[in-house]
Amino acid sequence: MHAQEPALNPREQTILHAVVHSYITTAEPVGSRTVVKRFGLELSPATVRNTMADLEEMGYLQQVHTSSGRVPTDQGYRYYVDYLMRVQELTEAERQRIEFEYTQKLNDADDVLRQTSHLLALITHQAGIAEAPNASSASVRRIELMPVSHERMAVLIVDNFGRVRSMLVQMEEALNGDRLSTLSNFLNEQLRGVAVHDLASTLNSRLKMFLDEQRRLAEHALQVLNLMPSTRAGQVYLEGATLLFEQPEFRDIDRAREVFGLFEERDRLVDLLRSAVGEAEQARGTVIIGAELHEKGLEGISVIASPYHLDGRAVGAIGVLGPRRMPYQRLTAIVDYTATMVSRILTRLGG
Amino acid sequence: MHAQEPALNPREQTILHAVVHSYITTAEPVGSRTVVKRFGLELSPATVRNTMADLEEMGYLQQVHTSSGRVPTDQGYRYYVDYLMRVQELTEAERQRIEFEYTQKLNDADDVLRQTSHLLALITHQAGIAEAPNASSASVRRIELMPVSHERMAVLIVDNFGRVRSMLVQMEEALNGDRLSTLSNFLNEQLRGVAVHDLASTLNSRLKMFLDEQRRLAEHALQVLNLMPSTRAGQVYLEGATLLFEQPEFRDIDRAREVFGLFEERDRLVDLLRSAVGEAEQARGTVIIGAELHEKGLEGISVIASPYHLDGRAVGAIGVLGPRRMPYQRLTAIVDYTATMVSRILTRLGG
DNA sequence: GTTAGCACTCCCTAATCGTGAGTGCTAAAT
DNA sequence: ATTTAGCACTCACGATTAGGGAGTGCTAAC
């Protein structure tokens, strides 16, 4: 998308880096004096001013008002993230901290991702987001039918993430135990390994192949499957939303309101995360800055996201959400590392 | 708690009522002129002023600063709610609206309560809260054991609210199908109807009664039950939190932060709701105002809560949370009515 | 190409000052 | 004995002003 970024000369790079870095840590517009002092440059403020004016003209910096210090634009952050920042690898302590958080009893993928959102919030001090493995990559490991009362039964599906989906379905006719177990066996034979969200279509397409007894079973099974509510939308865990209140950019109620509005619409949140990791199909995480989100009202925020994998396939994503002014060099490393942890744990869980 | 409320004479009541009512609708301190004008009293402002000074002395009203209009205190709201307000019954349209929201497909109690929090937020324009039936009132309707892999199995418990709890447990020794179904039958015979949160203790207490084969089964079952994670804490649904931003009392970031902090601690939210309905064991809803919550930082908010029932027992609660300045006369009716709806639907579901 | 010097811009804060809503008090009216 | 009119007083709020400070752009010297 930003393929041939106009090249900046070394001095411009140094100064852009300094401005972004300084602004990220202090949240104050950065003046020329500050740049030379805090970064020990062998230049005078006047020279820096000239360069800063150039950077502004090229769209990397911006003044909040005439004759104030400079602040990075989206483009400035982008250049910083892509070319300037030195990714700050985790310390051994941080690594151990993260691994420690996963030593708790985690029964299924949902537990793992809930814990992940918690962990991300805690360690990054931003809002932590974790999407549960998406329905299209969940496959059936086992199906069970379980009578609950005369006219109702529970359909239970354990998927390859250890999660149990359960649905109560109304039966038209009472099924005796034998019939039920026959049906159950049939479903397991036919549908093991099939993706959860196209059970019915799979069975349907095989319908012609069956004869007699099998066909009757299949038709009966289809009735049941069709009664199932459509698989729930992408589940997403969010934690640490209130941490955002500590950032000065959210002192403004109306901005805060926008973000919290997003947090209540879980679907949008999932979309955001997916489009973030979707844009770059790579294993590494992605950073999406401000207007790049293409979300009205969320121009002030950034998202750092990273996909996690099972059997080499990306099946979901995790990340953090916070103000544009984020310590990217630290957070990208944390999010990436956490994503690999999630992958590893899910693999163990799926074994 | 407020047993012998000092009696107010009719005029004091009228004026307190007027002040509270006016403040609730306008969010502005109420002056003596406003009272006579907006409520068409046959009194002069001066008289009203005298009475207001009396009410202030008695603790029902308060001035935000010398020589400003009056604002109700907690005690003022309390008197209003307990003695003055006329509960505003729902219109037929509102009734139908609520019932309509429950015509959607609701599979189990969790669905019902999620929908309830949504509905309450929508219709009251406050934050809607709904606690899922608490674990102590959930009893086992059926237990199923389901092998998932060689060394793991899923324990599935359907409760009387139609909910399925599932846990994966590690097995020490592989169980063949026969052994598993024997165990499963045994569990169902022994534990049907027992409260979910004391399955293990029930079985334990009966242990002496068993002989030989039964005893071995029971011991095996206990191993399994003890591996189960302790039943999750009270699940609670919350929706419409961002609606609070529209209220002027939450223009102040720090106050907003307190409340949103509460919203992230679901346990505290459950406690709040429980203590609210717990204080008065009655079927009707309760109103808890400001400092009565005994929660630091939440002096500015009120909660209206109402329990819902199954088989005559209160098994959970729903409610709304918002600024102290709330249209109680309307909201109490809505919350109460919704609670009876929830009771009705759960009964149907549990049939 | 770099830097010192300087005038200029604009935010921020504090201080000042009406204005208006609302009060408490007193004395007159009912 | 209440109730009310009259009046001086209080205090928040908004607009205005002034001073200080951080930072800029530009020009001219290095």
Side-chain angles (χ1 to χ4, degrees), chain B residues 45-86:
Chain B
T47 313
V48 173
R49 275 205 289 283
N50 286 327
T51 309
M52 280 166 90
D54 293 346
L55 285 169
E56 176 159 8
E57 214 169 311
M58 289 186 278
Y60 295 96
L61 296 179
Q62 183 183 2
Q63 281 178 299
V64 10
H65 61 88
T66 347
S67 84
S68 78
R70 293 329 202 275
V71 158
T73 60
D74 280 2
Q75 188 186 336
Y77 282 119
R78 170 53 61 201
Y79 196 94
Y80 172 79
V81 168
D82 287 348
Y83 303 109
L84 300 180
M85 76 177 179
R86 256 185 316 170

Short mmCIF file of all heavy atoms in Angstrom, two decimals, chain B residues 45-86:
data_model
loop_
_atom_site.label_atom_id
_atom_site.label_comp_id
_atom_site.label_asym_id
_atom_site.label_seq_id
_atom_site.Cartn_x
_atom_site.Cartn_y
_atom_site.Cartn_z
N PRO B 45 -43.02 32.86 45.71
CA PRO B 45 -41.66 32.34 45.79
C PRO B 45 -41.09 32.45 47.19
O PRO B 45 -40.38 31.56 47.64
CB PRO B 45 -40.90 33.22 44.81
CG PRO B 45 -41.91 33.64 43.81
CD PRO B 45 -43.20 33.76 44.58
N ALA B 46 -41.38 33.51 47.88
CA ALA B 46 -40.81 33.71 49.21
C ALA B 46 -41.21 32.60 50.17
O ALA B 46 -40.37 32.08 50.91
CB ALA B 46 -41.26 35.05 49.77
N THR B 47 -42.47 32.22 50.12
CA THR B 47 -42.94 31.13 50.98
C THR B 47 -42.20 29.85 50.65
O THR B 47 -41.75 29.12 51.52
CB THR B 47 -44.45 30.91 50.77
OG1 THR B 47 -45.09 32.17 50.81
CG2 THR B 47 -45.00 29.98 51.82
N VAL B 48 -42.14 29.60 49.34
CA VAL B 48 -41.44 28.41 48.90
C VAL B 48 -40.00 28.43 49.40
O VAL B 48 -39.47 27.42 49.85
CB VAL B 48 -41.48 28.30 47.36
CG1 VAL B 48 -40.61 27.15 46.88
CG2 VAL B 48 -42.91 28.13 46.88
N ARG B 49 -39.40 29.58 49.35
CA ARG B 49 -38.01 29.70 49.83
C ARG B 49 -37.89 29.28 51.28
O ARG B 49 -36.98 28.56 51.65
CB ARG B 49 -37.52 31.13 49.67
CG ARG B 49 -36.98 31.43 48.30
CD ARG B 49 -35.99 32.58 48.36
NE ARG B 49 -36.64 33.86 48.60
CZ ARG B 49 -37.30 34.56 47.68
NH1 ARG B 49 -37.43 34.08 46.47
NH2 ARG B 49 -37.84 35.71 47.97
N ASN B 50 -38.85 29.76 52.08
CA ASN B 50 -38.81 29.37 53.50
C ASN B 50 -38.87 27.86 53.66
O ASN B 50 -38.08 27.27 54.38
CB ASN B 50 -39.97 30.03 54.25
CG ASN B 50 -39.70 31.51 54.46
OD1 ASN B 50 -38.56 31.91 54.62
ND2 ASN B 50 -40.76 32.31 54.42
N THR B 51 -39.82 27.27 52.97
CA THR B 51 -39.99 25.82 53.07
C THR B 51 -38.74 25.09 52.58
O THR B 51 -38.30 24.10 53.16
CB THR B 51 -41.20 25.36 52.26
OG1 THR B 51 -42.32 26.16 52.61
CG2 THR B 51 -41.51 23.90 52.50
N MET B 52 -38.18 25.61 51.50
CA MET B 52 -36.98 24.96 50.98
C MET B 52 -35.84 25.03 51.98
O MET B 52 -35.08 24.07 52.13
CB MET B 52 -36.57 25.61 49.65
CG MET B 52 -37.40 25.12 48.46
SD MET B 52 -37.20 26.16 47.00
CE MET B 52 -35.83 25.40 46.20
N ALA B 53 -35.77 26.17 52.68
CA ALA B 53 -34.72 26.28 53.70
C ALA B 53 -34.95 25.25 54.79
O ALA B 53 -34.01 24.62 55.28
CB ALA B 53 -34.74 27.69 54.28
N ASP B 54 -36.24 25.04 55.14
CA ASP B 54 -36.56 24.00 56.13
C ASP B 54 -36.11 22.63 55.65
O ASP B 54 -35.48 21.87 56.36
CB ASP B 54 -38.07 23.98 56.40
CG ASP B 54 -38.54 25.25 57.09
OD1 ASP B 54 -37.68 26.00 57.59
OD2 ASP B 54 -39.76 25.50 57.12
N LEU B 55 -36.48 22.34 54.41
CA LEU B 55 -36.14 21.03 53.85
C LEU B 55 -34.62 20.81 53.81
O LEU B 55 -34.13 19.71 54.03
CB LEU B 55 -36.71 20.89 52.42
CG LEU B 55 -38.22 20.67 52.35
CD1 LEU B 55 -38.74 20.83 50.92
CD2 LEU B 55 -38.60 19.29 52.89
N GLU B 56 -33.92 21.90 53.56
CA GLU B 56 -32.47 21.78 53.55
C GLU B 56 -31.95 21.46 54.95
O GLU B 56 -31.10 20.59 55.12
CB GLU B 56 -31.83 23.09 53.05
CG GLU B 56 -30.32 23.04 53.12
CD GLU B 56 -29.67 24.05 52.20
OE1 GLU B 56 -30.39 24.89 51.61
OE2 GLU B 56 -28.44 23.99 52.04
N GLU B 57 -32.55 22.17 55.92
CA GLU B 57 -32.13 21.94 57.30
C GLU B 57 -32.36 20.49 57.72
O GLU B 57 -31.57 19.91 58.44
CB GLU B 57 -32.94 22.87 58.21
CG GLU B 57 -32.18 23.37 59.42
CD GLU B 57 -32.97 24.49 60.09
OE1 GLU B 57 -33.40 25.42 59.36
OE2 GLU B 57 -33.19 24.41 61.31
N MET B 58 -33.44 19.92 57.20
CA MET B 58 -33.76 18.53 57.56
C MET B 58 -32.98 17.52 56.72
O MET B 58 -33.09 16.32 56.92
CB MET B 58 -35.26 18.29 57.37
CG MET B 58 -36.11 19.01 58.41
SD MET B 58 -37.86 18.57 58.28
CE MET B 58 -38.41 19.64 56.95
N GLY B 59 -32.23 18.02 55.75
CA GLY B 59 -31.35 17.11 55.00
C GLY B 59 -31.90 16.56 53.70
O GLY B 59 -31.32 15.65 53.13
N TYR B 60 -33.03 17.12 53.25
CA TYR B 60 -33.60 16.58 52.01
C TYR B 60 -33.07 17.30 50.78
O TYR B 60 -33.07 16.74 49.68
CB TYR B 60 -35.13 16.69 52.02
CG TYR B 60 -35.76 15.83 53.08
CD1 TYR B 60 -36.11 16.36 54.32
CD2 TYR B 60 -35.98 14.49 52.84
CE1 TYR B 60 -36.67 15.57 55.31
CE2 TYR B 60 -36.55 13.67 53.81
CZ TYR B 60 -36.90 14.23 55.05
OH TYR B 60 -37.44 13.43 56.00
N LEU B 61 -32.70 18.54 50.98
CA LEU B 61 -32.20 19.32 49.85
C LEU B 61 -30.82 19.87 50.17
O LEU B 61 -30.35 19.79 51.30
CB LEU B 61 -33.16 20.47 49.53
CG LEU B 61 -34.56 20.10 49.07
CD1 LEU B 61 -35.37 21.36 48.82
CD2 LEU B 61 -34.51 19.24 47.81
N GLN B 62 -30.23 20.45 49.16
CA GLN B 62 -28.85 20.87 49.28
C GLN B 62 -28.62 21.98 48.26
O GLN B 62 -29.20 21.96 47.18
CB GLN B 62 -28.00 19.65 48.95
CG GLN B 62 -26.54 19.83 49.06
CD GLN B 62 -25.83 18.55 48.64
OE1 GLN B 62 -26.47 17.58 48.25
NE2 GLN B 62 -24.51 18.56 48.70
N GLN B 63 -27.76 22.90 48.62
CA GLN B 63 -27.41 23.92 47.64
C GLN B 63 -26.04 23.62 47.07
O GLN B 63 -25.13 23.25 47.81
CB GLN B 63 -27.38 25.30 48.31
CG GLN B 63 -28.75 25.90 48.50
CD GLN B 63 -28.67 27.23 49.20
OE1 GLN B 63 -28.19 27.31 50.32
NE2 GLN B 63 -29.13 28.28 48.53
N VAL B 64 -25.89 23.76 45.78
CA VAL B 64 -24.57 23.48 45.21
C VAL B 64 -23.61 24.60 45.58
O VAL B 64 -22.42 24.39 45.73
CB VAL B 64 -24.63 23.20 43.69
CG1 VAL B 64 -25.99 23.54 43.13
CG2 VAL B 64 -23.54 23.92 42.93
N HIS B 65 -24.10 25.80 45.80
CA HIS B 65 -23.30 26.87 46.41
C HIS B 65 -24.29 27.87 47.00
O HIS B 65 -25.46 27.87 46.65
CB HIS B 65 -22.41 27.56 45.38
CG HIS B 65 -23.19 28.21 44.28
ND1 HIS B 65 -23.66 29.49 44.35
CD2 HIS B 65 -23.60 27.71 43.09
CE1 HIS B 65 -24.32 29.77 43.24
NE2 HIS B 65 -24.30 28.71 42.46
N THR B 66 -23.79 28.68 47.94
CA THR B 66 -24.68 29.65 48.56
C THR B 66 -25.43 30.40 47.47
O THR B 66 -24.82 30.83 46.50
CB THR B 66 -23.88 30.70 49.37
OG1 THR B 66 -22.56 30.24 49.52
CG2 THR B 66 -24.55 30.96 50.69
N SER B 67 -26.67 30.56 47.68
CA SER B 67 -27.52 31.30 46.74
C SER B 67 -27.53 30.70 45.35
O SER B 67 -27.33 31.37 44.35
CB SER B 67 -27.09 32.77 46.67
OG SER B 67 -26.04 32.94 45.77
N SER B 68 -27.71 29.43 45.28
CA SER B 68 -28.05 28.80 43.99
C SER B 68 -29.33 28.03 44.26
O SER B 68 -29.79 27.96 45.40
CB SER B 68 -26.98 27.83 43.54
OG SER B 68 -27.08 26.61 44.24
N GLY B 69 -29.90 27.44 43.26
CA GLY B 69 -31.11 26.64 43.47
C GLY B 69 -30.80 25.40 44.27
O GLY B 69 -29.65 25.11 44.56
N ARG B 70 -31.86 24.66 44.64
CA ARG B 70 -31.68 23.44 45.43
C ARG B 70 -31.59 22.19 44.55
O ARG B 70 -32.12 22.14 43.46
CB ARG B 70 -32.84 23.25 46.40
CG ARG B 70 -33.03 24.22 47.56
CD ARG B 70 -31.82 24.81 48.10
NE ARG B 70 -31.92 25.32 49.47
CZ ARG B 70 -32.37 26.53 49.80
NH1 ARG B 70 -32.86 27.35 48.89
NH2 ARG B 70 -32.35 26.91 51.06
N VAL B 71 -30.94 21.20 45.12
CA VAL B 71 -30.74 19.91 44.47
C VAL B 71 -31.07 18.85 45.53
O VAL B 71 -30.77 19.07 46.69
CB VAL B 71 -29.27 19.80 44.02
CG1 VAL B 71 -28.84 18.37 43.84
CG2 VAL B 71 -29.03 20.62 42.77
N PRO B 72 -31.68 17.74 45.16
CA PRO B 72 -32.01 16.73 46.18
C PRO B 72 -30.75 16.07 46.72
O PRO B 72 -29.77 15.90 46.01
CB PRO B 72 -32.84 15.69 45.41
CG PRO B 72 -33.23 16.34 44.13
CD PRO B 72 -32.17 17.35 43.83
N THR B 73 -30.78 15.70 47.99
CA THR B 73 -29.73 14.85 48.57
C THR B 73 -30.17 13.40 48.40
O THR B 73 -31.28 13.12 47.96
CB THR B 73 -29.58 15.12 50.07
OG1 THR B 73 -30.84 14.83 50.68
CG2 THR B 73 -29.20 16.56 50.33
N ASP B 74 -29.31 12.47 48.79
CA ASP B 74 -29.70 11.05 48.80
C ASP B 74 -31.00 10.88 49.56
O ASP B 74 -31.93 10.21 49.12
CB ASP B 74 -28.61 10.20 49.47
CG ASP B 74 -27.45 9.91 48.53
OD1 ASP B 74 -27.46 10.39 47.38
OD2 ASP B 74 -26.53 9.19 48.96
N GLN B 75 -31.03 11.54 50.73
CA GLN B 75 -32.22 11.43 51.58
C GLN B 75 -33.46 11.97 50.87
O GLN B 75 -34.55 11.42 51.00
CB GLN B 75 -31.97 12.20 52.88
CG GLN B 75 -33.02 12.03 53.95
CD GLN B 75 -32.75 12.96 55.13
OE1 GLN B 75 -31.62 13.38 55.36
NE2 GLN B 75 -33.81 13.28 55.88
N GLY B 76 -33.25 13.04 50.10
CA GLY B 76 -34.36 13.61 49.35
C GLY B 76 -34.88 12.65 48.30
O GLY B 76 -36.09 12.42 48.18
N TYR B 77 -33.99 12.07 47.55
CA TYR B 77 -34.40 11.07 46.55
C TYR B 77 -35.12 9.92 47.23
O TYR B 77 -36.12 9.41 46.75
CB TYR B 77 -33.17 10.51 45.83
CG TYR B 77 -32.60 11.41 44.76
CD1 TYR B 77 -31.30 11.88 44.85
CD2 TYR B 77 -33.34 11.74 43.62
CE1 TYR B 77 -30.76 12.68 43.86
CE2 TYR B 77 -32.80 12.55 42.63
CZ TYR B 77 -31.51 13.01 42.76
OH TYR B 77 -30.97 13.80 41.78
N ARG B 78 -34.56 9.49 48.34
CA ARG B 78 -35.12 8.36 49.08
C ARG B 78 -36.56 8.63 49.47
O ARG B 78 -37.45 7.81 49.24
CB ARG B 78 -34.23 8.11 50.31
CG ARG B 78 -34.74 7.15 51.34
CD ARG B 78 -35.14 5.81 50.78
NE ARG B 78 -34.03 5.11 50.14
CZ ARG B 78 -34.21 4.14 49.25
NH1 ARG B 78 -35.43 3.75 48.90
NH2 ARG B 78 -33.18 3.55 48.68
N TYR B 79 -36.81 9.81 50.02
CA TYR B 79 -38.18 10.15 50.42
C TYR B 79 -39.08 10.19 49.19
O TYR B 79 -40.21 9.69 49.21
CB TYR B 79 -38.20 11.50 51.15
CG TYR B 79 -39.46 11.76 51.92
CD1 TYR B 79 -39.56 11.44 53.26
CD2 TYR B 79 -40.58 12.30 51.29
CE1 TYR B 79 -40.73 11.66 53.98
CE2 TYR B 79 -41.76 12.53 52.00
CZ TYR B 79 -41.83 12.21 53.33
OH TYR B 79 -42.97 12.42 54.02
N TYR B 80 -38.55 10.76 48.14
CA TYR B 80 -39.31 10.83 46.89
C TYR B 80 -39.70 9.43 46.42
O TYR B 80 -40.86 9.16 46.10
CB TYR B 80 -38.46 11.53 45.83
CG TYR B 80 -39.03 11.51 44.43
CD1 TYR B 80 -40.05 12.38 44.06
CD2 TYR B 80 -38.54 10.62 43.48
CE1 TYR B 80 -40.57 12.36 42.78
CE2 TYR B 80 -39.05 10.60 42.20
CZ TYR B 80 -40.07 11.47 41.85
OH TYR B 80 -40.58 11.45 40.58
N VAL B 81 -38.75 8.55 46.38
CA VAL B 81 -39.00 7.19 45.88
C VAL B 81 -39.96 6.45 46.80
O VAL B 81 -40.87 5.75 46.35
CB VAL B 81 -37.68 6.41 45.73
CG1 VAL B 81 -37.94 4.93 45.51
CG2 VAL B 81 -36.85 6.99 44.61
N ASP B 82 -39.77 6.58 48.10
CA ASP B 82 -40.57 5.80 49.03
C ASP B 82 -41.98 6.34 49.24
O ASP B 82 -42.92 5.58 49.44
CB ASP B 82 -39.86 5.73 50.40
CG ASP B 82 -38.65 4.82 50.36
OD1 ASP B 82 -38.49 4.10 49.37
OD2 ASP B 82 -37.86 4.85 51.32
N TYR B 83 -42.12 7.67 49.22
CA TYR B 83 -43.42 8.20 49.63
C TYR B 83 -44.09 9.11 48.61
O TYR B 83 -45.30 9.29 48.65
CB TYR B 83 -43.26 8.99 50.94
CG TYR B 83 -42.67 8.18 52.06
CD1 TYR B 83 -41.39 8.41 52.51
CD2 TYR B 83 -43.42 7.16 52.65
CE1 TYR B 83 -40.85 7.65 53.55
CE2 TYR B 83 -42.89 6.39 53.68
CZ TYR B 83 -41.59 6.64 54.12
OH TYR B 83 -41.08 5.89 55.13
N LEU B 84 -43.32 9.72 47.74
CA LEU B 84 -43.92 10.77 46.94
C LEU B 84 -44.26 10.39 45.50
O LEU B 84 -45.31 10.74 44.99
CB LEU B 84 -42.99 12.00 46.92
CG LEU B 84 -42.68 12.60 48.28
CD1 LEU B 84 -41.75 13.79 48.13
CD2 LEU B 84 -43.98 13.03 48.97
N MET B 85 -43.37 9.68 44.86
CA MET B 85 -43.56 9.51 43.41
C MET B 85 -44.77 8.62 43.12
O MET B 85 -45.08 7.70 43.88
CB MET B 85 -42.31 8.91 42.78
CG MET B 85 -42.11 7.43 43.01
SD MET B 85 -40.64 6.85 42.14
CE MET B 85 -40.64 5.11 42.62
N ARG B 86 -45.41 8.94 42.03
CA ARG B 86 -46.47 8.08 41.56
C ARG B 86 -45.85 7.16 40.51
O ARG B 86 -45.40 7.62 39.47
CB ARG B 86 -47.58 8.90 40.89
CG ARG B 86 -48.81 9.05 41.76
CD ARG B 86 -49.89 9.76 40.96
NE ARG B 86 -49.30 10.88 40.22
CZ ARG B 86 -49.97 11.57 39.29
NH1 ARG B 86 -51.21 11.27 38.99
NH2 ARG B 86 -49.38 12.57 38.66
#
